[in-house]
């Protein structure tokens, strides 16, 4: 580790003296970071970096020598740059999308642009010439950057009828359809695809109306398409093409066609053989990572913290990563980008207490130089560690999650906030820096996050165990985890509060309906409170797929909906309640917040009420400060020290 890095550490340590106040200001946690992601240009002369500015995520190009901005790209209020890449020394592609709610995607499809680093020759990519991407509900996703032909990229055009592959010119926007296999049924559509390192379409996943999956592949670009028979390809199976080998003769797949959890398979397209490389019986594995030269280095999965299985540990890039892991114990290390000649790379280091720091690694000198921090004011030594936990539910099912204790605490008899994630089917709580959890821990609360059944990341059976169980066994899992914390002596049974956003808001209010004597308070943030209304208003029931999801997740029994709806059972609530909603929410509209508010009024219950002119989650700093400031006062009143 070089002098610059050691000096940076010393300055950070000195600036956070032992006498610093225990309670940090709200802005410390709520203020957006200076940077989100940074990538170096192929010639190493510039950095492109995304950063948050109020409701926007913008892109800035920095001169390498001066670190001064050479250009800035912004797309308007609530618009975010969600992905960007250098395609030449001077040209970038930028994928941006409008987000009205913090937790939804109101605003439409992503839009793809190309531009010179200084803002010249900028335009939309798609159609003929520089026509707008997204017309008719279509959007582009980058499938492959073509280093040998940097004027082109491979993109998938996503529409209601599936994905179509195109070779797209980043200078004039012209696109060339690459062809795709004939679907086996008129009602089928292509749900996923993969191109090799030369830009040839080689793999297509077909999804039929009955959820049956068909996997098409071919050896070379002009070969006839064949069907890969993996056995169980019903709607219960998911097959994800991940990455081609360096010579494009093999492809890595994540698949659960033969078990509940996703395993990592290697399919040899020449020999027609498939081999299981890794599977965890409880946790999905669906990420592989490659070196700059295309060599697949290993795979990552998250049984608690991140874990890595090396497939080519002797590769120089793997050896460098292994060395960086040793230099940053307990943290995650990733390469974000490389120069064309591979002489330099940008490295991201992050953890549960570190929002992220960027370094430049010099492969010739074997030096690591500090570049920038995402949130330079955050001092990791003042943050709380996130501990992976396992809890056994009442029916014997193993649940996994995270417990965060206040810094300096002995971990005994603490006020506890049960923080329930949204979704609920597919998302999960994971390990890493979480500013909301850190805020609560800084205020003296233990924070419990449990991945209840229905959460993603733990296999098909675990995910499907949540279907038809909103307010039932899914809620029992949250209750059982809460009682585990009490029985372990971690939480004070008389100082428990449950909180969450979206589905988490539902679980918070359903928790105090189902367990009126367990929690002292509940905080519902942009939550669902009436299941019948969820099937009638909002953007989910507006589409066929949305309606199919609701039927699969919640059924069609209106009596069950009523029994499992907090707004229909407000008379059972004894706990203090705080509700916050967004007036412009389309995912969970105001009909939900108003229904819960009306039910509490009719039941004669006192509660706190907040609305703001925002969508599914507050983005504006002043509104977030108001919400979390009110939350802080509410928690202090009902479960505070």
């Amino acid at each position: 580790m070089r002098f610059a890095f050691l000096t940076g550490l010393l300055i950070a340590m000195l600036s956070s003296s032992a006498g610093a106040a225990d309670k940090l200001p709200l802005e410390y946690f709520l203020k957006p970071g200076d940077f989100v992601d940074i990538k170096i240009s192929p010639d190493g002369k510039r950095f492109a970096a995304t950063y948050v500015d109020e409701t926007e995520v913008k892109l800035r190009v920095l001169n390498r020598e001066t670190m001064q901005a050479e250009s800035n790209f912004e797309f308007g209020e609530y618009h975010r740059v969600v992905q960007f890449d250098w395609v030449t020394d001077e040209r970038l592609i930028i994928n941006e999308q409008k987000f009205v709610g913090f937790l939804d995607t109101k605003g439409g499809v992503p839009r793809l642009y190309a531009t010179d680093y200084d803002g010249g020759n900028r335009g939309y990519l798609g159609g003929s010439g520089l026509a707008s991407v997204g017309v008719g509900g279509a959007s582009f996703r980058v499938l492959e950057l073509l280093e040998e032909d940097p004027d082109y990229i491979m993109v998938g055009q996503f529409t209601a009828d599936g994905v179509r592959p195109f070779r797209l010119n980043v200078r004039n926007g012209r696109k060339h359809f690459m062809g795709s296999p004939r679907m086996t049924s008129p009602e089928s559509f292509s749900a996923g695809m993969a191109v090799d390192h030369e830009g040839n379409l080689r793999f297509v996943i077909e999804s039929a109306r009955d959820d049956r999956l068909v996997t098409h592949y071919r050896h070379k670009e002009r070969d006839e398409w064949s069907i890969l028979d993996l056995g169980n390809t019903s709607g219960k199976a998911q097959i994800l093409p991940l990455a081609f080998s360096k010579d494009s003769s093999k492809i890595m797949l994540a698949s659960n066609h033969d078990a509940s959890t996703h395993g990592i398979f290697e399919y040899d397209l020449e020999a027609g053989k498939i081999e299981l490389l890794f599977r965890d019986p409880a946790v999905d594995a669906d990420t592989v990572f490659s070196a700059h030269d295309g060599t697949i280095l290993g795979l990552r999965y998250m049984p608690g913290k991140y874990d890595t299985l090396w497939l080519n540990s002797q590769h120089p890039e793997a050896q460098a990563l292994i060395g960086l892991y040793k230099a940053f114990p307990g943290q995650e290390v990733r390469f974000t980008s490389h120069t064309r000649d591979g002489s330099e790379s940008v490295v991201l280091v992050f953890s549960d207490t570190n929002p992220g720091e960027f370094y430049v690694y010099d492969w010739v000198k074997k030096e690591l130089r500090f570049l920038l921090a995402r949130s330079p004011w955050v001092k990791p030594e003042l943050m709380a560690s996130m501990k992976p936990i396992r809890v056994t539910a009442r029916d014997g099912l193993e649940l996994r999650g995270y417990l965060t204790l206040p810094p300096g605490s002995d971990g005994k008899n603490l006020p506890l906030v049960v923080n329930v994630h949204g979704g609920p089917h597919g998302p999960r709580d994971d390990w890493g820096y979480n500013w909301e959890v850190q805020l609560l821990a800084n205020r003296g609360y233990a924070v419990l996050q449990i991945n209840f059944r229905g959460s993603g990341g733990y296999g098909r059976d675990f995910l499907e165990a949540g279907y038809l169980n909103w307010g039932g066994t899914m809620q029992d899992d949250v209750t059982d985890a809460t009682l585990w914390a009490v029985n372990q002596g971690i939480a004070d049974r008389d100082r428990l509060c449950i909180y969450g956003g979206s589905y988490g808001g539902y679980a918070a209010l359903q928790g105090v309906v189902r367990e009126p004597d367990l929690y002292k308070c509940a905080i519902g943030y942009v939550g669902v409170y009436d299941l019948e209304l969820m099937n009638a208003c909002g953007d989910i029931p507006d589409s066929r797929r949305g309606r199919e999801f609701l039927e699969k997740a919640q059924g069609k029994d209106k009596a069950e909906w009523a029994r499992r709806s907090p707004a229909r059972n407000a008379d059972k609530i004894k706990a203090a309640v705080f509700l916050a909603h967004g007036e412009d929410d389309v995912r969970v509209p105001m009909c939900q917040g108003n229904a819960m508010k009306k039910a509490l009024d009719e039941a004669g219950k006192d509660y706190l009420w907040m609305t703001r002119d925002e969508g599914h989650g507050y983005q504006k700093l002043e509104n977030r400060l108001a919400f979390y400031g009110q939350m802080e006062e509410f928690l202090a009143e009902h479960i505070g020290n």
Side-chain angles (χ1 to χ4, degrees):
M1 201 64 61
R2 304 300 291 179
F3 177 73
F5 170 59
L6 294 174
T7 302
L9 275 183
L10 180 60
I11 292 172
M13 292 173 65
L14 291 174
S15 63
S16 56
S17 64
D22 291 335
K23 183 177 178 180
L24 298 166
L26 282 175
E27 289 88 343
Y28 190 96
F29 303 98
L30 300 182
K31 177 185 174 183
D34 287 349
F35 294 96
V36 179
D37 196 11
I38 298 177
K39 295 181 180 180
I40 195 168
S41 62
D43 59 8
K45 293 181 178 180
R46 295 175 179 88
F47 298 108
T50 46
Y51 65 99
V52 180
D53 184 4
E54 276 290 319
T55 66
E56 302 175 56
V57 176
K58 302 177 180 179
L59 179 72
R60 178 174 293 162
V61 175
L62 303 169
N63 182 282
R64 171 75 177 274
E65 290 187 4
T66 66
M67 291 304 289
Q68 297 298 308
E70 294 186 320
S71 59
N72 206 63
F73 301 91
E74 53 188 89
F75 299 90
E77 188 177 35
Y78 294 113
H79 284 260
R80 304 178 194 169
V81 174
V82 293
Q83 176 64 29
F84 67 96
D85 283 291
W86 291 93
V87 289
T88 70
D89 294 342
E90 298 186 345
R91 198 147 178 84
L92 291 148
I93 52 172
I94 303 171
N95 213 340
E96 69 88 17
Q97 186 173 2
K98 186 177 182 181
F99 291 76
V100 173
F102 183 65
L103 304 172
D104 70 14
T105 56
K106 180 184 177 185
V109 299
R111 297 190 294 178
L112 191 66
Y113 296 81
T115 179
D116 291 345
Y117 76 89
D118 60 2
N121 300 315
R122 172 178 168 179
Y124 292 120
L125 293 177
S128 59
L130 298 178
S132 171
V133 175
V135 174
S139 64
F140 283 167
R141 184 179 303 162
V142 178
L143 301 175
E144 184 75 18
L145 303 177
L146 304 176
E147 290 190 8
E148 300 302 318
D149 192 0
D151 285 346
Y152 285 87
I153 57 175
M154 286 293 297
V155 298
Q157 185 179 38
F158 287 72
T159 69
D161 299 320
V163 192
R164 301 184 73 210
F166 289 91
R167 191 178 178 92
L168 183 63
N169 189 301
V170 299
R171 296 195 179 276
N172 58 30
R174 293 174 184 167
K175 60 181 182 179
H176 308 280
F177 179 58
M178 299 301 295
S180 58
R182 183 184 299 275
M183 300 293 103
T184 61
S185 166
E187 294 184 332
S188 297
F189 62 90
S190 55
M193 55 184 57
V195 297
D196 63 21
H197 297 304
E198 290 72 46
N200 303 313
L201 182 67
R202 304 275 299 281
F203 225 81
V204 174
I205 305 296
E206 173 190 350
S207 179
R209 181 67 181 271
D210 61 2
D211 287 335
R212 178 176 50 86
L213 293 178
V214 179
T215 304
H216 302 262
Y217 74 98
R218 58 184 176 183
H219 298 299
K220 299 177 182 178
E221 182 180 11
R222 300 189 182 278
D223 286 353
E224 293 296 320
W225 288 94
S226 300
I227 292 178
L228 174 60
D229 184 8
L230 294 178
N232 176 19
T233 53
S234 68
K236 292 181 177 292
Q238 288 184 322
I239 304 166
L240 306 172
L242 299 177
F244 276 91
S245 61
K246 182 178 180 180
D247 63 1
S248 297
S249 67
K250 300 174 183 178
I251 187 170
M252 305 291 281
L253 305 171
S255 179
N256 62 355
H257 67 277
D258 59 342
S260 174
T261 58
H262 276 96
I264 300 295
F265 292 82
E266 182 180 72
Y267 181 65
D268 188 323
L269 286 92
E270 304 273 337
K273 294 182 179 179
I274 190 166
E275 178 185 2
L276 175 64
L277 299 183
F278 173 81
R279 170 175 279 125
D280 185 286
V283 180
D284 287 328
D286 56 13
T287 302
V288 299
F289 59 100
S290 302
H292 179 52
D293 65 6
T295 302
I296 296 173
L297 299 180
L299 61 93
R300 294 188 181 99
Y301 67 113
M302 191 180 291
K305 299 180 181 181
Y306 287 97
D307 207 346
T308 301
L309 176 67
W310 296 100
L311 301 177
N312 285 290
S313 62
Q314 297 307 308
H315 188 280
E317 214 164 295
Q319 286 293 300
L321 279 170
I322 291 170
L324 289 169
Y325 275 119
K326 292 178 180 177
F328 296 98
Q331 302 199 69
E332 271 302 301
V333 181
R334 308 282 167 84
F335 290 123
T336 75
S337 53
H338 310 268
T339 56
R340 182 184 297 106
D341 62 7
S343 64
E344 291 184 305
S345 302
V346 174
V347 179
L348 170 64
V349 179
F350 68 95
S351 72
D352 53 342
T353 60
N354 177 9
E357 297 167 331
F358 294 95
Y359 299 81
V360 174
Y361 185 72
D362 187 318
W363 289 87
V364 177
K365 298 179 180 178
K366 305 301 183 196
E367 291 180 358
L368 190 70
R369 298 187 296 275
F370 177 76
L371 181 61
L372 295 166
R374 280 177 169 165
S375 302
W377 60 88
V378 173
K379 309 305 178 189
E381 62 271 19
L382 299 181
M383 298 296 100
S385 297
M386 180 182 284
K387 176 186 176 183
I389 60 169
R390 299 188 187 189
V391 175
T392 302
R394 64 190 67 182
D395 62 357
L397 183 67
E398 183 182 74
L399 310 172
R400 301 191 188 201
Y402 300 92
L403 177 69
T404 304
L405 302 177
S409 162
D410 62 2
K412 300 296 182 183
N413 206 38
L414 294 167
L416 175 73
V417 176
V418 181
N419 189 346
V420 187
H421 72 70
H425 303 291
R428 57 162 285 183
D429 286 312
D430 53 21
W431 183 86
Y433 184 81
N434 184 317
W435 58 263
E436 188 177 64
V437 170
Q438 292 295 341
L439 168 60
L440 293 169
N442 179 258
R443 291 330 191 233
Y445 302 105
V447 184
L448 175 66
Q449 300 167 280
I450 197 69
N451 286 315
F452 45 84
R453 69 193 73 196
S455 302
Y458 299 98
R460 180 178 62 241
D461 294 345
F462 191 88
L463 176 71
E464 294 182 351
Y467 293 156
L468 305 181
N469 281 313
W470 283 46
T473 52
M474 292 171 71
Q475 196 69 45
D476 291 339
D477 290 346
V478 177
T479 301
D480 293 345
T482 305
L483 294 174
W484 169 86
V486 172
N487 294 333
Q488 292 289 315
I490 298 164
D492 181 347
R493 190 183 183 100
D494 294 327
R495 294 188 293 168
L496 308 174
C497 191
I498 184 169
Y499 156 67
S502 196
Y503 173 84
Y506 166 85
L509 272 295
Q510 184 68 0
V512 293
V513 167
R514 286 281 304 274
E515 308 290 341
D517 297 314
L518 181 60
Y519 301 103
K520 288 294 183 290
C521 59
I523 304 170
Y525 180 41
V526 297
V528 173
Y529 307 116
D530 188 305
L531 299 188
E532 185 169 350
L533 283 177
M534 188 177 182
N535 283 266
C537 64
D539 64 353
I540 297 178
D542 285 347
S543 68
R544 174 181 62 83
R545 291 184 187 177
R547 292 189 294 273
E548 289 174 350
F549 162 76
L550 289 172
E551 182 176 348
K552 180 165 59 175
Q554 299 174 357
K556 300 179 69 174
D557 189 330
K558 290 188 176 182
E560 274 296 297
W561 288 350
R563 189 174 71 84
R564 299 184 184 205
S565 295
R568 306 292 182 94
N569 297 278
D571 58 308
K572 298 181 175 67
I573 296 175
K574 297 180 182 179
V577 172
F578 172 27
L579 300 176
H581 222 87
E583 295 169 356
D584 199 25
D585 196 335
V586 295
R587 179 58 46 85
V588 182
M590 280 298 299
C591 64
Q592 292 285 351
N594 288 334
M596 194 69 232
K597 181 176 183 292
K598 180 181 178 182
L600 291 168
D601 285 336
E602 292 177 349
K605 307 291 184 182
D606 292 330
Y607 58 92
L608 287 178
W609 174 253
M610 175 181 289
T611 60
R612 291 293 186 273
D613 185 19
E614 290 210 57
H616 196 51
Y618 301 161
Q619 295 192 66
K620 296 179 179 178
L621 182 59
E622 64 266 27
N623 293 335
R624 297 169 72 192
L625 286 168
F627 172 62
Y628 286 99
Q630 186 67 75
M631 178 193 289
E632 182 178 1
E633 294 179 8
F634 181 78
L635 290 172
E637 178 182 354
H638 296 288
I639 64 168
N641 292 315

